[in-house]
Amino acid sequence: MAVWQWLLFFICICVKVTQTEASSWTIDVPSSVKGLLGSCVVIPCSYNYPNAKVQTFTGIWTNDGNQVIYHPTESKMLEQYRRRTKLLGDISKSNCSLMIENLQQNDGGPFHFRIELGGYNSFSYLNKKVSILMIREPNAIDFSAHEDIKEGQPVSASCSVFHSCPTYPPAFHWSHSGEQHFQAQKLHDGQWKATSILTFRSNRTDHNKLLQCRVTYHGGKHQETSKTLKVKYAPVNVKVEYQSDVNEGETAHLKCSSDANPVSSYEWHSETGALLNKGQTYTMSNVSRHSEAVYCTAVNEEGRVRSSTVKLNVLYAPDIKSSSKCFSERGKVMCECIVESRPPSMLHFVLGDRVVQNSKVQTVGSVTTGTLQTDFGSFKFVHCLANNTLGNANLTLSLPLVDNMQNIFIACGAGVIFLIVLIATGVGVVKKCRGRSGETPTSDLGIMKAERSVELHHYAPTKRKEDRKDMSCSDIYANDHVYGNTDCDESIYNNV
Ligand SMILES: *[C@@H]1O[C@H](CO)[C@@H](O)[C@H](O)[C@H]1NC(C)=O
Ligand SMILES: *[C@@H]1O[C@H](CO)[C@@H](O)[C@H](O)[C@H]1NC(C)=O
Ligand SMILES: *[C@@H]1O[C@H](CO)[C@@H](O)[C@H](O)[C@H]1NC(C)=O
Ligand SMILES: *[C@@H]1O[C@H](CO)[C@@H](O)[C@H](O)[C@H]1NC(C)=O
Ligand SMILES: *[C@@H]1O[C@H](CO)[C@@H](O)[C@H](O)[C@H]1NC(C)=O
């Protein structure tokens, strides 16, 4: 082999060895890392050294003035870095990551790493220095939430921030309860993205409420952001506002209200379901006691909801029913006056010009019934008077012929039979009674309507005595005059 060949060989060996040596002492560390003042920062770091037998590993971080900011022996460190710096990884496994806590303004560096390999060599990685880019305030929170939520649907909101301290990542706090999920994403140059995702079931009670995300960084710095939740929901609390009392013939104004998002439109229906109107208000003109109950329906894109049914309290003056009457029952005359009105009426019976006191009045709903049982004397009519706040009404009721008529006829019938017996014995008193006995009136004679004007004559006792002499059963039938039961009996016996 020629000399130049040997020379070339050695050069090659040398180059190779230097290359190997040079490439072995390598380090992977970013040139700068962002750090939040007061918080912590982690400088990611991994180093290499030539293949050698190493007994101990001593990792050291120093600044440009070769002052130690980290050393496993604390006393060798600059005072201001003691208890603030820490190697995070396993130094014997090429991990030289450094954490600095409670970052100060003058912690910017640049810093470099030095490894002392016991039993082999030491090396300062001066060619790769790292600076800390100090930031006073964290970047704004990246916040996102669903815009349009429907009630009952799951909502998810996410809140994310950048940081450079994975050992103590920021803490998230949400203003709404729900399931929280944390995500950490590694970026470059020691940057991390921390994300908190909140999921919950939306509720109308959340509508227009702030959803807030609060981030607290290690060291205490915090920031927050919020968004107003918009929840769509079907109408609730659908109700009709109205003035309950309205006079018959007047106009009622009804208004429907509800809580809904988006706002409701309204429909009005009668109780039977017929569509009456569209719109938030409904005007019922000329209301009557027969006006139908109504309800409103609130409608939005989320649903249709009915109000309860509304029935107006229509007020009207008394209306005395034509079924009111006087009648006789078991020999007693009774008057009944039936009035319909709202509010219920006061009811009185007037006999002549005197209000009868002992009438009984009973009210059920809008119907007031008055009953009167008294000594009507010689009166032919009784007046029923009713009044309420809206007006009054009256009706004249005719009093019936007293029920005693029936007894008279029975008495006369008995008299006839007795007389027939007398005829058989030859006494001739019978003649006048004959022919009338078959016409015995029925008891319905007692019921008289107001139109029927049957006069009731009342005879004074003295007059009665005078008349008594020429009294007979036929006289009773011939006249509409009513006599006492005893009168008839007496007259028969007298004639006998
Ligand atoms: C160094 O150690 C830290 C802390 O254990 C770890 O998070 C990191 O991933 C390690 N770095 C490498 C390059 O392995
Ligand atoms: C909304 O919340 C209320 C009480 O907070 C609850 O009663 C209701 O069921 C919830 N609605 C839905 C749809 O989750
Ligand atoms: C009001 O209604 C009544 C019947 O309910 C009717 O007789 C009257 O004519 C109506 N009045 C008006 C002004 O419509
Ligand atoms: C009915 O009229 C009487 C006497 O006129 C009066 O005292 C009473 O307050 C009236 N009742 C009502 C309900 O208006
Ligand atoms: C009875 O009603 C009529 C009208 O229907 C009225 O003119 C009269 O004054 C009333 N009588 C009484 C006693 O209220």
Side-chain angles (χ1 to χ4, degrees):
M1 214 185 274
V3 176
W4 67 271
Q5 281 178 312
W6 277 109
L7 208 65
L8 196 67
F9 175 76
F10 275 109
I11 289 167
C12 285
I13 293 280
C14 284
V15 167
K16 190 157 191 187
V17 166
T18 354
Q19 271 181 344
T20 313
E21 286 238 312
S23 64
S24 293
W25 296 107
T26 57
I27 192 162
D28 187 8
V29 69
S31 60
S32 75
V33 174
K34 281 178 188 161
L36 180 64
L37 269 175
S39 187
C40 60
V41 67
V42 172
I43 298 166
C45 176
S46 64
Y47 70 97
N48 277 306
Y49 57 94
N51 226 346
K53 204 167 155 48
V54 176
Q55 277 138 30
T56 58
F57 295 84
T58 307
I60 301 158
W61 279 87
T62 59
N63 65 14
D64 263 5
N66 273 330
Q67 292 170 303
V68 177
I69 66 157
Y70 174 78
H71 196 286
T73 310
E74 202 178 63
S75 59
K76 292 185 175 170
M77 283 167 61
L78 270 179
E79 175 74 35
Q80 75 217 58
Y81 287 98
R82 290 180 191 167
R83 287 179 301 279
R84 285 210 291 132
T85 52
K86 187 178 175 186
L87 281 187
L88 289 180
D90 186 348
I91 194 71
S92 65
K93 292 198 174 122
S94 291
N95 194 330
C96 50
S97 300
L98 175 76
M99 175 167 77
I100 309 173
E101 285 192 71
N102 190 17
L103 268 185
Q104 308 292 306
Q105 189 62 56
N106 51 5
D107 288 348
F111 307 113
H112 66 265
F113 181 64
R114 175 181 169 77
I115 186 75
E116 292 178 359
L117 305 167
Y120 175 56
N121 210 343
S122 295
F123 192 85
S124 291
Y125 298 89
L126 286 162
N127 58 331
K128 278 273 187 95
K129 295 180 181 176
V130 56
S131 301
I132 297 168
L133 222 67
M134 224 53 81
I135 49 173
R136 296 195 158 272
E137 293 300 327
N139 288 338
I141 300 172
D142 183 8
F143 186 72
S144 75
H146 284 117
E147 285 292 333
D148 278 326
I149 330 165
K150 285 172 189 252
E151 181 175 37
Q153 284 187 345
V155 183
S156 86
S158 96
C159 197
S160 48
V161 290
F162 295 105
H163 68 103
S164 50
C165 189
T167 312
Y168 300 113
F172 292 84
H173 178 80
W174 291 92
S175 62
H176 197 289
S177 62
E179 210 171 283
Q180 289 182 36
H181 179 68
F182 182 80
Q183 279 178 356
Q185 186 190 355
K186 191 178 182 179
L187 306 172
H188 48 82
D189 293 345
Q191 280 269 286
W192 290 77
K193 187 182 182 181
T195 306
S196 174
I197 296 163
L198 176 78
T199 51
F200 60 93
R201 199 159 287 278
S202 72
N203 192 305
R204 66 183 127 81
T205 54
D206 296 329
H207 181 58
N208 277 342
K209 281 225 180 103
L210 280 185
L211 176 62
Q212 189 187 60
C213 168
R214 182 180 167 96
V215 183
T216 307
Y217 295 84
H218 184 65
K221 223 165 230 171
H222 53 82
Q223 60 182 155
E224 58 203 31
T225 187
S226 60
K227 203 166 204 170
T228 305
L229 290 169
K230 298 287 175 192
V231 183
K232 288 185 174 177
Y233 55 96
V236 287
N237 297 330
V238 182
K239 53 176 181 276
V240 178
E241 293 160 33
Y242 63 105
Q243 199 187 342
S244 167
D245 289 355
V246 53
N247 293 351
E248 195 168 41
E250 290 184 354
T251 300
H253 300 279
L254 290 80
K255 187 182 175 192
C256 195
S257 67
S258 69
D259 174 14
N261 181 46
V263 291
S264 308
S265 60
Y266 298 96
E267 289 173 7
W268 295 87
H269 293 268
S270 73
E271 199 173 23
T272 52
L275 178 66
L276 301 169
N277 191 37
K278 286 190 174 190
Q280 197 170 6
T281 59
Y282 176 53
T283 302
M284 279 173 84
S285 49
N286 192 17
V287 297
S288 89
R289 66 196 79 173
H290 308 295
S291 289
E292 267 190 299
V294 300
Y295 64 86
C296 84
T297 307
V299 186
N300 74 0
E301 62 197 60
E302 302 302 315
R304 303 169 57 89
V305 178
R306 264 186 64 160
S307 72
S308 52
T309 303
V310 160
K311 180 108 177 96
L312 296 174
N313 186 31
V314 179
L315 306 180
Y316 52 97
D319 175 16
I320 303 179
K321 296 286 149 195
S322 58
S323 52
S324 303
K325 61 181 185 285
C326 292
F327 55 95
S328 64
E329 196 176 80
R330 272 176 260 112
K332 284 172 177 163
V333 173
M334 193 184 267
C335 291
E336 190 176 69
C337 186
I338 303 160
V339 181
E340 218 183 297
S341 68
R342 206 174 273 274
S345 291
M346 283 180 82
L347 198 152
H348 302 285
F349 287 100
V350 173
L351 208 50
D353 51 6
R354 179 176 61 93
V355 173
V356 187
Q357 296 300 336
N358 59 344
S359 57
K360 268 187 254 158
V361 179
Q362 198 182 26
T363 299
V364 178
S366 58
V367 177
T368 305
T369 308
T371 47
L372 177 65
Q373 199 171 17
T374 190
D375 176 15
F376 291 99
S378 60
F379 289 105
K380 289 182 279 181
F381 305 104
V382 65
H383 304 283
C384 172
L385 267 53
N387 69 324
N388 70 359
T389 49
L390 276 87
N392 50 62
N394 66 61
L395 187 69
T396 302
L397 305 174
S398 294
L399 289 163
L401 291 167
V402 276
D403 231 8
N404 291 353
M405 287 288 279
Q406 200 177 339
N407 299 339
I408 294 164
F409 296 133
I410 290 166
C412 284
V416 168
I417 292 162
F418 182 67
L419 289 174
I420 289 165
V421 174
L422 287 183
I423 288 163
T425 56
V427 186
V429 202
V430 190
K431 204 182 178 188
K432 280 187 179 179
C433 273
R434 204 186 57 208
R436 301 279 185 178
S437 59
E439 289 179 7
T440 310
T442 50
S443 63
D444 68 354
L445 206 144
I447 300 165
M448 293 286 175
K449 280 291 168 84
E451 307 81 53
R452 254 176 87 181
S453 182
V454 179
E455 285 185 23
L456 282 159
H457 285 209
H458 193 96
Y459 288 85
T462 46
K463 192 168 187 279
R464 219 183 258 168
K465 280 213 170 85
E466 287 166 22
D467 288 350
R468 200 178 279 166
K469 282 171 187 119
D470 29 84
M471 274 293 293
S472 71
C473 282
S474 61
D475 287 335
I476 297 162
Y477 292 129
N479 298 317
D480 269 340
H481 300 179
V482 175
Y483 294 85
N485 192 15
T486 45
D487 286 351
C488 183
D489 288 347
E490 275 174 28
S491 63
I492 293 165
Y493 289 125
N494 280 349
N495 285 336
V496 169

